[in-house]
Amino acid sequence: MVPGAGTRRELLVSRRWIQAAALVAVFGFFVMGVLALRTYTAQPPVPRLVVSESGQEVYTGRDVADGQKVFLAHGLMQYGSVLGHGGYLGPDYTADYLRRAATIALRASGGGDRAREQLEQEFRTNRYDPRSGVLTYTRAQADAFTALVGHYRGYFADPRTGKGLRPYAITDPRQIHQLTAFLSWTAWIAAAERPGEDYSYTNNWPGEPLVGNVPTADTVLWSVVSLIALLAGIGALFGAVGRWGGHLGWRGRQAETVDFHSPDQVALTPAQRVTAFFFLVVALLFLAQVLLGGATEHYRADLTSFFGFDLAGLLPFNLARTWHLQLSLFWVVAAFLAAGIFLAPLMAGREPRGQGRLAWTLLIALVVVAFGSLLAEGLSIHGFVPPGSFWGSQQFEWLDLPRVWQILLAAGMALWAVMMWRVLRGTLARDSRGNLPWLFFLAGLAIPGVYAVGLLARPGDTFTATDFWRFWVVHLWVEDFLELFTTVMVAYMFVQLGVVRERVALVVIYLDIILYSAGGVIGTMHHLYFSGEPVEHLALGAFFSAMEVVPLTFLTVEAWSFVQLGARQHMESRTPFPHRWAVMFLVAVGFWNFLGAGVFGFLINLPIVSYYEIGTGLTANHAHGSMMGVYGMLAVALGLFALRYLIPAGRWPEKWARVSFWSLNIGLAWMCFATLLPLGLLQLHESVASGYFEARSLGYITGSTNTLLEWLRLPGDALFIVGGVLPFCWIAWLGVRHRGRQAAADPATGLTPAPRLSDVREPVDSA
Amino acid sequence: MIGPFVTESVLAYGYAAALLVTAAGLDRLARRVAGRSERRRRPGRTPSHDGREIVRAPRPWPHSEAGRFHRGLALVLVVLAASLTLVEAVRHPAWPDLALAAAVLAAAAVTGRWLTGHLRAAPAGFPEPGQRTANRDR
């Protein structure tokens, strides 16, 4: 139906899809709201004052807050971790403090079985008085604190670089005291029993026999429930696919003849041409990211020397890792934003005046934010920025950029949403709010919206609360909302190409929303089993995150029909299908979605596994397999899609696109299977057999077997960089050199017509 | 030690064997993916006095190239399995661990040859413009 003036196009799918999606989403976020409330009401207290049995001050609550800022500002969350969250080269400082304090206390009491029993009781007894806000340490705990201030003073003031930290990393005695106070607090909540319970605030994490920390009954029970949920979910999925599979998933349009326009025939709008520069920036950020990844990896293979050069003085491990992680977000998100700029005019049929200038503004803003934040992180880790500075220091893992840059990045994404609105508003006004243009716009609006939630994580707040909000970004934003946006974008790409009907694309999108929201929203809590949240976070996180594998499995099943529709659609085309490698990268996305996100993710998802595994190699295995395998490959796919029209047909580097495709995938597969997976499995075994503290020790990590496995990665990483990333940079450069054909704007209205990418040669059935 | 074998060797060769099994699984998956275009032939009706049904086989691409992708990754796992085996054999060049290494290397060689043959027999199949599908009267 063609809408007349003032009317909207009818909804192309049943209202039940919208109702189901809304119901699942509302339920999910309602539960998240309750969990947010419980986080604040049931989080471990930060005492106003910690005293010894004789009444002497040990440290204050202010010291804990400031110590957290010191920990973050010096990039220690990218070196080691606390409560299991952070980097993997250094120790988990919660486990480190707990082990050392317990050992000091045991030694002071002379050792023996009776002393062990007393030690366990001392550490597990909760001596916090909520009325006065005072926590009383036993004499042994207080003495251990004093001793460990001395230990960490020597540790962080080390003039050598043999740990991968910069020399004299922290020398200020006051900062050392504050830092030790923060670590002591994390160790206290790890052992002291939650009032009314027989387990600690962190559900008895980390495992530490000296203080009686063993997995709780809930950890085991909810692992079993999670596994049952997974099996039941997948069973239901296959049942549904078998029963309704013909109505779900991708189905090609009935018209089987589509003529694709040659790139030379496609005249681009001003903003579309600016995306050439976006994708060059994407490629260069990707290159910087992988080079820093190489440097980070080298520390794990050879901690003391970078091929004879002492890198740690200038680029210590934690700085390399900080930049490696931040750049991964920057280049992927920049690619998604650029793809949105490229696709929006295709949806609207035209582009308003000034969109090109706005695109330039956004690009420059992104570059400024990227470099500004990276520079600030470098200055902070090198000690030039006061801890907790709004301008220069934040450094939660993944949310490393200082708050001013975080706000600017959110503002940049909001600018992008405004750009989408400018292009799409006419289309949005004429279309049902449940159809593709609205889904695209709303999914795009969620990008700055959910990212901004990360601003609720502030460096001085209780770590339990900051971690809750941090994972809204790391999980909800990355794994759910970006996933939703990319599903809509890819669907739109193929609707624009004419290979799938809009209604079919809508069904797939709504199904994805339902499946992802069912598991992924509440499943966010699978990151927070042991961060001090109450046990319901563990229970709900374990159950719902198991359901997340269901949509990943569905996407793999569905991906085959997605691939199949391409087979049908150009069987009689007179012109070549221009997106061979964009499609192949999407095939790779489907593969890594299942393997990297699904299999490698579920491998570490059960609470009982995470209890021993968190902060170890299997997490890195999942992170690389999913972040690069899914989002990285997708970003490259989107880039190649747009670049195909930015580069003349005769100049399209088909060979380098092929080389890049194979090199990235082979390199990633080698990385996972040669090093990350076996190393992670061995480390998990060590954690269970010898202890979490032992498995995280530098001595274990730099052992001969681990070192060999790290070096084994070299051929795959070299291929990834040289064969995978460099060709992509070359293709992006060609995009800038040529920048496609410019479409002529209407001088009266300033509107530039958007190109058509294909013609359907036979009429299509309506609806 | 696990029996007469060094524990590390057992783990390394066991992992290499698991990689070979995974590679075989990927090849099987590739066969299913690449064969999908054959299994999904749809009848297209052509008006004719005889009312004959014309079967049009869909193009093999992108199934064919997706199948190649899986086979390519499968071969990578085989190469990795062989590499790990060789490295471990150098680290522990003692009998009977070398017997295990020999067995895994032999399996890798057989698997690699088999997969390479499959890869060679599975072209990407990306269509050139103007190519027509084969129609078959039925």
Side-chain angles (χ1 to χ4, degrees), chain A residues 523-569:
Chain A
T524 306
M525 296 300 105
H526 71 175
H527 293 279
L528 298 170
Y529 292 153
F530 310 118
S531 296
E533 275 81 3
V535 73
E536 52 265 35
H537 291 59
L538 182 151
L540 292 171
F543 179 81
F544 282 95
S545 61
M547 308 295 285
E548 278 190 90
V549 184
V550 174
L552 293 175
T553 309
F554 172 72
L555 283 178
T556 304
V557 169
E558 165 205 321
W560 306 137
S561 50
F562 161 79
V563 166
Q564 175 212 331
L565 65 85
R568 285 209 197 112
Q569 303 322 316

Short mmCIF file of all heavy atoms in Angstrom, two decimals, chain A residues 523-569:
data_model
loop_
_atom_site.label_atom_id
_atom_site.label_comp_id
_atom_site.label_asym_id
_atom_site.label_seq_id
_atom_site.Cartn_x
_atom_site.Cartn_y
_atom_site.Cartn_z
N GLY A 523 20.84 -11.87 31.32
CA GLY A 523 22.08 -12.63 31.25
C GLY A 523 23.33 -11.79 31.46
O GLY A 523 24.41 -12.33 31.68
N THR A 524 23.20 -10.47 31.40
CA THR A 524 24.31 -9.57 31.72
C THR A 524 24.93 -9.95 33.06
O THR A 524 26.14 -9.78 33.27
CB THR A 524 23.81 -8.11 31.81
OG1 THR A 524 23.13 -7.77 30.61
CG2 THR A 524 24.95 -7.14 32.03
N MET A 525 24.13 -10.47 33.96
CA MET A 525 24.61 -10.77 35.30
C MET A 525 25.62 -11.91 35.34
O MET A 525 26.22 -12.18 36.39
CB MET A 525 23.42 -11.10 36.22
CG MET A 525 22.46 -9.93 36.42
SD MET A 525 23.29 -8.50 37.16
CE MET A 525 23.43 -7.41 35.74
N HIS A 526 25.83 -12.60 34.20
CA HIS A 526 26.82 -13.68 34.22
C HIS A 526 28.24 -13.12 34.36
O HIS A 526 29.18 -13.87 34.56
CB HIS A 526 26.68 -14.62 33.03
CG HIS A 526 27.09 -14.04 31.70
ND1 HIS A 526 27.11 -14.80 30.56
CD2 HIS A 526 27.49 -12.80 31.31
CE1 HIS A 526 27.51 -14.05 29.53
NE2 HIS A 526 27.74 -12.84 29.97
N HIS A 527 28.39 -11.80 34.23
CA HIS A 527 29.69 -11.18 34.49
C HIS A 527 29.88 -10.88 35.97
O HIS A 527 30.97 -10.49 36.39
CB HIS A 527 29.80 -9.87 33.71
CG HIS A 527 29.84 -10.05 32.23
ND1 HIS A 527 30.99 -10.39 31.54
CD2 HIS A 527 28.87 -9.93 31.30
CE1 HIS A 527 30.71 -10.47 30.24
NE2 HIS A 527 29.44 -10.20 30.07
N LEU A 528 28.82 -10.96 36.75
CA LEU A 528 28.83 -10.42 38.11
C LEU A 528 28.54 -11.50 39.16
O LEU A 528 27.93 -11.22 40.19
CB LEU A 528 27.80 -9.28 38.21
CG LEU A 528 28.10 -8.10 37.29
CD1 LEU A 528 26.93 -7.13 37.24
CD2 LEU A 528 29.35 -7.38 37.74
N TYR A 529 28.99 -12.71 38.88
CA TYR A 529 28.76 -13.77 39.86
C TYR A 529 29.46 -13.48 41.18
O TYR A 529 28.95 -13.83 42.25
CB TYR A 529 29.31 -15.10 39.34
CG TYR A 529 28.61 -15.72 38.16
CD1 TYR A 529 29.31 -16.55 37.28
CD2 TYR A 529 27.26 -15.51 37.89
CE1 TYR A 529 28.69 -17.15 36.19
CE2 TYR A 529 26.63 -16.11 36.80
CZ TYR A 529 27.36 -16.93 35.97
OH TYR A 529 26.74 -17.53 34.89
N PHE A 530 30.66 -12.89 41.11
CA PHE A 530 31.52 -12.83 42.29
C PHE A 530 32.01 -11.42 42.59
O PHE A 530 33.07 -11.24 43.19
CB PHE A 530 32.75 -13.75 42.06
CG PHE A 530 32.38 -15.13 41.61
CD1 PHE A 530 32.81 -15.60 40.38
CD2 PHE A 530 31.60 -15.96 42.40
CE1 PHE A 530 32.46 -16.88 39.94
CE2 PHE A 530 31.24 -17.22 41.96
CZ PHE A 530 31.68 -17.69 40.73
N SER A 531 31.23 -10.40 42.19
CA SER A 531 31.67 -9.02 42.37
C SER A 531 31.07 -8.36 43.60
O SER A 531 31.17 -7.15 43.74
CB SER A 531 31.33 -8.18 41.13
OG SER A 531 32.03 -8.66 40.02
N GLY A 532 30.40 -9.13 44.44
CA GLY A 532 29.81 -8.56 45.64
C GLY A 532 28.31 -8.35 45.52
O GLY A 532 27.66 -7.91 46.47
N GLU A 533 27.75 -8.69 44.35
CA GLU A 533 26.29 -8.60 44.22
C GLU A 533 25.65 -9.77 44.98
O GLU A 533 26.27 -10.81 45.16
CB GLU A 533 25.88 -8.69 42.74
CG GLU A 533 25.94 -7.36 41.99
CD GLU A 533 27.34 -7.00 41.53
OE1 GLU A 533 28.26 -7.80 41.75
OE2 GLU A 533 27.52 -5.90 40.95
N PRO A 534 24.39 -9.59 45.43
CA PRO A 534 23.73 -10.70 46.14
C PRO A 534 23.50 -11.89 45.22
O PRO A 534 23.62 -11.78 44.00
CB PRO A 534 22.41 -10.08 46.61
CG PRO A 534 22.20 -8.89 45.73
CD PRO A 534 23.55 -8.39 45.34
N VAL A 535 23.13 -13.01 45.83
CA VAL A 535 23.14 -14.28 45.10
C VAL A 535 22.11 -14.33 43.96
O VAL A 535 22.29 -15.11 43.00
CB VAL A 535 22.94 -15.46 46.08
CG1 VAL A 535 21.50 -15.52 46.57
CG2 VAL A 535 23.35 -16.77 45.45
N GLU A 536 21.08 -13.51 44.02
CA GLU A 536 20.10 -13.57 42.92
C GLU A 536 20.70 -13.13 41.59
O GLU A 536 20.25 -13.56 40.53
CB GLU A 536 18.85 -12.73 43.23
CG GLU A 536 19.10 -11.31 43.63
CD GLU A 536 19.14 -11.12 45.15
OE1 GLU A 536 19.62 -12.04 45.85
OE2 GLU A 536 18.70 -10.04 45.61
N HIS A 537 21.74 -12.30 41.65
CA HIS A 537 22.43 -11.92 40.41
C HIS A 537 23.07 -13.15 39.79
O HIS A 537 23.03 -13.36 38.58
CB HIS A 537 23.50 -10.86 40.68
CG HIS A 537 22.95 -9.52 41.06
ND1 HIS A 537 22.15 -9.32 42.15
CD2 HIS A 537 23.10 -8.30 40.47
CE1 HIS A 537 21.81 -8.04 42.23
NE2 HIS A 537 22.37 -7.39 41.22
N LEU A 538 23.68 -13.99 40.65
CA LEU A 538 24.31 -15.22 40.16
C LEU A 538 23.26 -16.16 39.58
O LEU A 538 23.42 -16.69 38.48
CB LEU A 538 25.07 -15.90 41.31
CG LEU A 538 25.83 -17.19 41.02
CD1 LEU A 538 27.03 -17.32 41.97
CD2 LEU A 538 24.98 -18.42 41.19
N ALA A 539 22.16 -16.32 40.31
CA ALA A 539 21.13 -17.27 39.88
C ALA A 539 20.52 -16.85 38.55
O ALA A 539 20.44 -17.63 37.60
CB ALA A 539 20.06 -17.38 40.95
N LEU A 540 20.07 -15.62 38.48
CA LEU A 540 19.40 -15.14 37.26
C LEU A 540 20.40 -15.03 36.11
O LEU A 540 20.07 -15.34 34.96
CB LEU A 540 18.73 -13.79 37.52
CG LEU A 540 17.54 -13.85 38.48
CD1 LEU A 540 17.07 -12.45 38.85
CD2 LEU A 540 16.39 -14.65 37.88
N GLY A 541 21.61 -14.59 36.42
CA GLY A 541 22.63 -14.48 35.38
C GLY A 541 22.95 -15.84 34.77
O GLY A 541 23.06 -15.98 33.55
N ALA A 542 23.08 -16.85 35.61
CA ALA A 542 23.40 -18.20 35.12
C ALA A 542 22.27 -18.74 34.25
O ALA A 542 22.51 -19.31 33.19
CB ALA A 542 23.66 -19.13 36.30
N PHE A 543 21.03 -18.57 34.72
CA PHE A 543 19.89 -19.13 33.98
C PHE A 543 19.70 -18.44 32.65
O PHE A 543 19.63 -19.07 31.59
CB PHE A 543 18.62 -19.01 34.83
CG PHE A 543 17.39 -19.53 34.16
CD1 PHE A 543 17.12 -20.90 34.15
CD2 PHE A 543 16.51 -18.68 33.51
CE1 PHE A 543 16.00 -21.39 33.51
CE2 PHE A 543 15.38 -19.18 32.86
CZ PHE A 543 15.12 -20.53 32.87
N PHE A 544 19.63 -17.11 32.68
CA PHE A 544 19.29 -16.40 31.45
C PHE A 544 20.45 -16.35 30.46
O PHE A 544 20.23 -16.33 29.25
CB PHE A 544 18.79 -14.99 31.79
CG PHE A 544 17.37 -14.98 32.27
CD1 PHE A 544 17.08 -15.02 33.63
CD2 PHE A 544 16.32 -14.98 31.37
CE1 PHE A 544 15.77 -15.04 34.08
CE2 PHE A 544 15.00 -15.00 31.81
CZ PHE A 544 14.72 -15.04 33.16
N SER A 545 21.68 -16.33 30.94
CA SER A 545 22.80 -16.27 29.99
C SER A 545 22.94 -17.58 29.22
O SER A 545 23.43 -17.59 28.09
CB SER A 545 24.11 -15.92 30.68
OG SER A 545 24.42 -16.91 31.64
N ALA A 546 22.47 -18.69 29.83
CA ALA A 546 22.46 -19.95 29.08
C ALA A 546 21.53 -19.82 27.88
O ALA A 546 21.80 -20.35 26.80
CB ALA A 546 22.01 -21.10 29.96
N MET A 547 20.45 -19.07 28.07
CA MET A 547 19.50 -18.87 26.98
C MET A 547 20.13 -18.07 25.84
O MET A 547 19.62 -18.10 24.72
CB MET A 547 18.26 -18.13 27.48
CG MET A 547 17.60 -18.73 28.70
SD MET A 547 16.93 -20.34 28.36
CE MET A 547 15.49 -19.88 27.44
N GLU A 548 21.19 -17.33 26.12
CA GLU A 548 21.83 -16.53 25.07
C GLU A 548 22.39 -17.39 23.96
O GLU A 548 22.53 -16.94 22.82
CB GLU A 548 23.00 -15.71 25.66
CG GLU A 548 22.61 -14.43 26.32
CD GLU A 548 23.83 -13.61 26.64
OE1 GLU A 548 24.24 -12.80 25.79
OE2 GLU A 548 24.36 -13.77 27.76
N VAL A 549 22.77 -18.61 24.31
CA VAL A 549 23.36 -19.48 23.29
C VAL A 549 22.29 -19.89 22.28
O VAL A 549 22.60 -20.18 21.13
CB VAL A 549 23.98 -20.73 23.96
CG1 VAL A 549 24.66 -21.60 22.92
CG2 VAL A 549 24.99 -20.30 25.01
N VAL A 550 21.02 -19.85 22.74
CA VAL A 550 19.93 -20.26 21.85
C VAL A 550 19.86 -19.37 20.61
O VAL A 550 19.87 -19.89 19.48
CB VAL A 550 18.58 -20.29 22.61
CG1 VAL A 550 17.43 -20.58 21.65
CG2 VAL A 550 18.64 -21.35 23.70
N PRO A 551 19.83 -18.03 20.75
CA PRO A 551 19.81 -17.23 19.52
C PRO A 551 21.07 -17.38 18.69
O PRO A 551 21.03 -17.30 17.47
CB PRO A 551 19.65 -15.79 20.01
CG PRO A 551 20.01 -15.80 21.44
CD PRO A 551 19.67 -17.18 21.93
N LEU A 552 22.21 -17.61 19.35
CA LEU A 552 23.43 -17.81 18.58
C LEU A 552 23.33 -19.08 17.74
O LEU A 552 23.79 -19.11 16.60
CB LEU A 552 24.63 -17.91 19.53
CG LEU A 552 24.96 -16.62 20.28
CD1 LEU A 552 26.08 -16.88 21.28
CD2 LEU A 552 25.38 -15.53 19.32
N THR A 553 22.71 -20.11 18.32
CA THR A 553 22.51 -21.34 17.56
C THR A 553 21.51 -21.10 16.44
O THR A 553 21.69 -21.56 15.32
CB THR A 553 21.99 -22.46 18.49
OG1 THR A 553 22.85 -22.54 19.61
CG2 THR A 553 21.95 -23.79 17.78
N PHE A 554 20.44 -20.35 16.76
CA PHE A 554 19.44 -20.05 15.74
C PHE A 554 20.06 -19.28 14.60
O PHE A 554 19.78 -19.55 13.43
CB PHE A 554 18.28 -19.25 16.35
CG PHE A 554 17.31 -18.76 15.31
CD1 PHE A 554 16.45 -19.63 14.68
CD2 PHE A 554 17.27 -17.42 14.95
CE1 PHE A 554 15.57 -19.18 13.71
CE2 PHE A 554 16.38 -16.97 13.98
CZ PHE A 554 15.52 -17.85 13.36
N LEU A 555 20.91 -18.31 14.95
CA LEU A 555 21.54 -17.50 13.90
C LEU A 555 22.41 -18.38 13.01
O LEU A 555 22.53 -18.12 11.82
CB LEU A 555 22.40 -16.40 14.52
CG LEU A 555 21.64 -15.21 15.07
CD1 LEU A 555 22.62 -14.23 15.69
CD2 LEU A 555 20.85 -14.52 13.97
N THR A 556 23.02 -19.39 13.59
CA THR A 556 23.84 -20.29 12.77
C THR A 556 22.95 -21.10 11.84
O THR A 556 23.23 -21.24 10.67
CB THR A 556 24.65 -21.23 13.67
OG1 THR A 556 25.42 -20.44 14.56
CG2 THR A 556 25.56 -22.11 12.85
N VAL A 557 21.84 -21.62 12.40
CA VAL A 557 20.89 -22.37 11.57
C VAL A 557 20.31 -21.46 10.51
O VAL A 557 20.24 -21.79 9.33
CB VAL A 557 19.76 -22.93 12.47
CG1 VAL A 557 18.62 -23.47 11.63
CG2 VAL A 557 20.29 -24.01 13.39
N GLU A 558 19.94 -20.26 10.92
CA GLU A 558 19.31 -19.29 10.03
C GLU A 558 20.32 -18.80 9.00
O GLU A 558 19.96 -18.45 7.88
CB GLU A 558 18.81 -18.14 10.90
CG GLU A 558 18.44 -16.88 10.20
CD GLU A 558 18.56 -15.69 11.14
OE1 GLU A 558 18.20 -15.84 12.31
OE2 GLU A 558 19.03 -14.64 10.70
N ALA A 559 21.59 -18.76 9.41
CA ALA A 559 22.62 -18.23 8.52
C ALA A 559 22.70 -19.05 7.24
O ALA A 559 23.01 -18.52 6.18
CB ALA A 559 23.97 -18.19 9.22
N TRP A 560 22.40 -20.34 7.36
CA TRP A 560 22.48 -21.16 6.15
C TRP A 560 21.40 -20.75 5.16
O TRP A 560 21.62 -20.74 3.96
CB TRP A 560 22.39 -22.64 6.49
CG TRP A 560 23.38 -23.07 7.51
CD1 TRP A 560 23.16 -23.89 8.56
CD2 TRP A 560 24.76 -22.67 7.60
NE1 TRP A 560 24.32 -24.03 9.30
CE2 TRP A 560 25.30 -23.30 8.74
CE3 TRP A 560 25.58 -21.85 6.83
CZ2 TRP A 560 26.62 -23.14 9.12
CZ3 TRP A 560 26.91 -21.69 7.21
CH2 TRP A 560 27.42 -22.33 8.35
N SER A 561 20.22 -20.42 5.69
CA SER A 561 19.19 -19.96 4.76
C SER A 561 19.51 -18.57 4.27
O SER A 561 19.16 -18.21 3.15
CB SER A 561 17.80 -20.01 5.40
OG SER A 561 17.80 -19.37 6.65
N PHE A 562 20.17 -17.75 5.09
CA PHE A 562 20.61 -16.43 4.66
C PHE A 562 21.59 -16.58 3.51
O PHE A 562 21.52 -15.87 2.52
CB PHE A 562 21.27 -15.72 5.85
CG PHE A 562 22.15 -14.57 5.47
CD1 PHE A 562 21.60 -13.35 5.15
CD2 PHE A 562 23.51 -14.70 5.43
CE1 PHE A 562 22.42 -12.28 4.81
CE2 PHE A 562 24.32 -13.65 5.09
CZ PHE A 562 23.78 -12.44 4.79
N VAL A 563 22.50 -17.55 3.63
CA VAL A 563 23.48 -17.79 2.57
C VAL A 563 22.77 -18.33 1.34
O VAL A 563 23.09 -17.97 0.22
CB VAL A 563 24.54 -18.78 3.08
CG1 VAL A 563 25.36 -19.33 1.93
CG2 VAL A 563 25.45 -18.09 4.07
N GLN A 564 21.78 -19.13 1.59
CA GLN A 564 21.06 -19.76 0.47
C GLN A 564 20.30 -18.75 -0.36
O GLN A 564 20.22 -18.88 -1.58
CB GLN A 564 20.09 -20.78 1.05
CG GLN A 564 19.19 -21.42 0.03
CD GLN A 564 17.85 -21.76 0.63
OE1 GLN A 564 17.75 -22.04 1.81
NE2 GLN A 564 16.81 -21.73 -0.18
N LEU A 565 19.77 -17.72 0.28
CA LEU A 565 18.96 -16.79 -0.50
C LEU A 565 19.83 -16.07 -1.52
O LEU A 565 19.38 -15.72 -2.59
CB LEU A 565 18.22 -15.82 0.41
CG LEU A 565 19.04 -14.82 1.24
CD1 LEU A 565 19.39 -13.56 0.44
CD2 LEU A 565 18.23 -14.39 2.46
N GLY A 566 21.10 -15.92 -1.19
CA GLY A 566 22.00 -15.33 -2.17
C GLY A 566 22.14 -16.23 -3.38
O GLY A 566 22.25 -15.77 -4.49
N ALA A 567 22.08 -17.53 -3.13
CA ALA A 567 22.23 -18.47 -4.23
C ALA A 567 21.08 -18.33 -5.21
O ALA A 567 21.25 -18.49 -6.40
CB ALA A 567 22.29 -19.90 -3.71
N ARG A 568 19.92 -18.05 -4.68
CA ARG A 568 18.75 -17.97 -5.56
C ARG A 568 18.72 -16.66 -6.34
O ARG A 568 18.24 -16.62 -7.45
CB ARG A 568 17.48 -18.02 -4.73
CG ARG A 568 17.14 -19.35 -4.21
CD ARG A 568 15.64 -19.44 -4.08
NE ARG A 568 15.33 -20.56 -3.20
CZ ARG A 568 14.81 -20.43 -2.01
NH1 ARG A 568 14.53 -19.26 -1.51
NH2 ARG A 568 14.56 -21.50 -1.28
N GLN A 569 19.17 -15.64 -5.68
CA GLN A 569 18.79 -14.31 -6.14
C GLN A 569 19.54 -13.79 -7.34
O GLN A 569 19.12 -12.85 -7.96
CB GLN A 569 18.90 -13.32 -4.99
CG GLN A 569 18.04 -13.70 -3.79
CD GLN A 569 16.71 -14.29 -4.18
OE1 GLN A 569 16.04 -13.78 -5.07
NE2 GLN A 569 16.36 -15.39 -3.56
#
